[in-house]
Amino acid sequence: RIANQLVLESAATFYFLKKNNCAVFHLTEKLLLTMLTSFTIAVIALGAVNAAPASNPDFLVSIDNGTYTRSVSYEGHSVLRCDVRNISQDVFESISATYDIMGSSSHASIDIHTTSDADVAAMHALIGAQHCVVHVADLESAVRAFETDLDHSRQRASSARNRRQVDDWFAAYHTYPEIIQWYTDIADDFPLITKLVPSIGRSTEGRDMPALHIVGTASGAKKRVYFQCQIHAREWISGATCMYVVNYLANNYGVSDEVTRLLNEVELIVVPFVNPDGYAYTWSGERLWRKSRNVNVGSSCMGTDLNRNYNEHWGEGGSSTNPCSDTYMGSKAESAVEVQVTTDYFKLNAPIYGGIDWHSYSQLILRPWGWTQTNAPDEALLKQVGDLMADSAERVHGFKYTSQKSISLYPTTGTANDWFYGEEASKENKGVRAYGFTIELRDTGRYGFELPANEIIPQGQEMIPAAIDFMQFTTANPLKFTPSA
């Protein structure tokens, strides 16, 4: 409490000097800002500010006969939306390494999860109160509204006549075991065009990580495209959208000329769960959990941000060395077993012509690079297919997706889409450099991670043409890889 108050008072003093245009502020702005940032981060590291919400034995939300439970409360938490165009790179790096940035926009605003008045005051001091608005005043209420919708939607889905029908299954979100069974059913229903690999490896907690291959029956070699889903635990729409795409392709092979031609030329590999442990935990403990669930030696904080753990400019910024951070990059590149499993499978199926890592939220189509402002060697083609996907998605329901380089948001290193396209993967991809993309799905922050279940189907519908465009374009316009000297 004392540390929280110190940060609150320090931030308030800093903001007062800045707001009132005091001469002493201008003389010492950089020093004051550096001190405040360092002090705030030091306190956070000690768990005094922005501490990760802890399970509370006296707090429990349970719905759907205990299928979903939550023991972590977000009481007193809020979300600020801040314009960060005018802050220094060092300050932004400090914020992103210590606070939970939930979403971003193409206009350089970010949604910051705050857990106390001290957090809010610190953001006002570091960014400027005039650049921040309260986007979600009561995060606990927002999560509870989502849980009410989850309960009702799952009741409707469970009473549906046929859980394999699109309108029934995609009327609700589903648990890890239910999704595993769904992929098993799809493989059983379409044995001529699908192959389910029940486990390409196991997660930290021993959960199977399956892969589904879907490809047409025409003879001849096929070019491969790779999708991976649910790398961040709380982004439930990611896994639901991957299922929707798989369902559409499987059901329309032999029916739609476009799908039939596509799958007769292209094999799609889908890894439904990069982070099965984290996903399971969002159903059993903490709805807004992001990371994996590995134990970090020397820390009481669990998990690694798997999308900062790839061996592509790992640890060069845009991530954190603090195990308590939501962007903790791990102890070394590919320290996370889940990253090892998925990169090994990617290499095993070389050559891969394109890869998409599915995320939410912000409605963005992101291409390399995340670690540098320098254009990727194939920027023109990367931009072309990114723009194509954004346009195709928008034409379905009018929802705008922005196509841009990853670093246009903020620096990130050790990410999956940079790895797909980058040096290490390409060296083992049989002369092909894979197009590497991140797709941030709906929405732009009205619901955020608590996207209602009635948006699963329209979200899937607008990603169908985008996914097809990606598969067609990347295999028709392959990228060559020449190793650097």
Side-chain angles (χ1 to χ4, degrees):
R1 286 196 301 270
I2 294 172
N4 275 356
Q5 189 61 32
L6 284 170
V7 171
L8 188 63
E9 292 177 358
S10 298
T13 301
F14 181 89
Y15 179 57
F16 174 83
L17 293 171
K18 184 174 182 179
K19 181 179 180 182
N20 289 279
N21 202 32
C22 293
V24 67
F25 171 82
H26 293 290
L27 289 172
T28 60
E29 176 179 7
K30 186 172 182 180
L31 176 61
L32 285 167
L33 189 55
T34 301
M35 290 174 63
L36 176 60
T37 303
S38 300
F39 178 64
T40 303
I41 292 165
V43 174
I44 291 168
L46 292 171
V49 179
N50 202 41
S55 296
N56 182 349
D58 298 322
F59 177 89
L60 182 67
V61 174
S62 180
I63 63 175
D64 193 24
N65 297 316
T67 301
Y68 171 94
T69 59
R70 177 166 62 92
S71 57
V72 169
S73 171
Y74 301 103
E75 194 70 37
H77 294 207
S78 61
V79 179
L80 295 182
R81 175 162 288 181
C82 299
D83 186 326
V84 293
R85 284 175 292 185
N86 296 318
I87 66 173
S88 71
Q89 187 61 46
D90 288 343
V91 172
F92 184 86
E93 286 275 346
S94 298
I95 293 170
S96 63
T98 31
Y99 284 83
D100 177 11
I101 296 179
M102 304 181 94
S104 309
S105 83
S106 59
H107 305 295
S109 67
I110 57 174
D111 294 347
I112 305 170
H113 177 185
T114 58
T115 65
S116 65
D117 289 343
D119 283 355
V120 175
M123 291 304 98
H124 285 175
L126 295 173
I127 301 172
Q130 73 275 23
H131 298 304
C132 295
V133 296
V134 177
H135 184 60
V136 178
D138 185 348
L139 189 56
E140 174 65 21
S141 293
V143 173
R144 283 187 179 267
F146 173 81
E147 290 164 344
T148 298
D149 177 76
L150 177 66
D151 194 18
H152 293 166
S153 62
R154 284 183 62 82
Q155 288 179 26
R156 290 192 298 270
S158 65
S159 62
R161 289 172 297 172
N162 187 343
R163 290 174 64 84
R164 294 191 189 181
Q165 293 297 315
V166 172
D167 290 346
D168 297 345
W169 176 259
F170 293 104
Y173 292 103
H174 298 281
T175 65
Y176 167 82
E178 292 167 352
I179 293 171
I180 295 296
Q181 186 59 53
W182 185 87
Y183 276 95
T184 302
D185 292 343
I186 279 284
D188 289 344
D189 290 346
F190 299 96
L192 296 180
I193 60 170
T194 62
K195 180 184 76 172
L196 179 68
V197 181
S199 184
I200 63 172
R202 291 191 169 183
S203 66
T204 297
E205 294 181 344
R207 290 181 174 85
D208 286 320
M209 299 170 62
L212 183 84
H213 294 237
I214 180 167
V215 63
T217 58
S219 60
K222 310 295 193 298
K223 294 179 178 179
R224 288 172 171 164
V225 171
Y226 174 92
F227 291 173
Q228 65 177 35
C229 327
Q230 213 65 66
I231 192 171
H232 285 153
R234 61 192 178 187
E235 299 167 8
W236 287 9
I237 192 63
S238 161
T241 301
C242 288
M243 284 188 287
Y244 196 93
V245 171
V246 166
N247 187 78
Y248 179 87
L249 295 175
N251 279 281
N252 282 278
Y253 181 78
V255 177
S256 159
D257 289 343
E258 180 183 47
V259 172
T260 303
R261 284 195 302 270
L262 176 67
L263 292 182
N264 280 338
E265 297 175 357
V266 181
E267 177 180 358
L268 176 63
I269 303 170
V270 178
V271 176
F273 287 103
V274 181
N275 186 7
D277 299 342
Y279 184 74
Y281 183 60
T282 62
W283 282 80
S284 64
E286 187 172 342
R287 171 63 190 94
L288 296 179
W289 184 260
R290 169 184 167 103
K291 299 185 290 182
S292 64
R293 294 293 296 166
N294 61 282
V295 172
N296 291 309
V297 176
S299 174
S300 61
C301 296
M302 296 183 66
T304 298
D305 184 348
L306 300 179
N307 203 36
R308 300 294 186 275
N309 191 238
Y310 286 79
N311 190 19
E312 180 62 32
H313 292 268
W314 175 85
E316 294 182 14
S319 59
S320 176
T321 57
N322 181 357
C324 298
S325 169
D326 280 308
T327 57
Y328 176 54
M329 63 187 183
S331 58
K332 62 180 180 179
E334 295 191 9
S335 60
V337 64
E338 295 85 357
V339 172
Q340 296 169 22
V341 167
T342 51
T343 55
D344 285 349
Y345 201 68
F346 186 99
K347 295 172 185 177
L348 179 66
N349 285 281
I352 302 289
Y353 287 79
I356 295 179
D357 190 30
W358 296 84
H359 287 255
S360 75
Y361 61 92
S362 290
Q363 292 173 206
L364 301 170
I365 312 290
L366 303 175
R367 63 185 183 271
W369 300 108
W371 56 272
T372 177
Q373 293 284 357
T374 302
N375 284 342
D378 304 287
E379 164 64 10
L381 286 170
L382 289 164
K383 183 179 187 303
Q384 187 177 346
V385 69
D387 292 350
L388 178 64
M389 287 191 286
D391 291 343
S392 295
E394 185 176 358
R395 282 197 296 269
V396 178
H397 294 299
F399 278 59
K400 181 175 176 58
Y401 285 77
T402 300
S403 168
Q404 62 186 48
K405 292 191 291 185
S406 295
I407 199 167
S408 298
L409 288 177
Y410 46 78
T412 54
T413 60
T415 61
N417 75 304
D418 275 0
W419 184 85
F420 296 155
Y421 179 77
E423 193 85 4
E424 186 198 70
S426 298
K427 284 178 179 177
E428 300 188 43
N429 204 32
K430 298 183 178 179
V432 175
R433 187 191 282 273
Y435 290 77
F437 276 80
T438 293
I439 295 185
E440 296 281 0
L441 298 165
R442 290 189 181 187
D443 56 7
T444 55
R446 178 184 179 187
Y447 297 108
F449 304 123
E450 287 74 59
L451 194 71
N454 64 9
E455 297 211 29
I456 295 173
I457 290 176
Q459 171 68 95
Q461 290 170 337
E462 64 195 13
M463 284 299 109
I464 292 299
I468 290 175
D469 285 344
F470 183 79
M471 294 169 68
Q472 291 174 334
F473 188 97
T474 58
T475 54
N477 302 277
L479 303 177
K480 296 181 179 179
F481 173 69
T482 303
S484 59

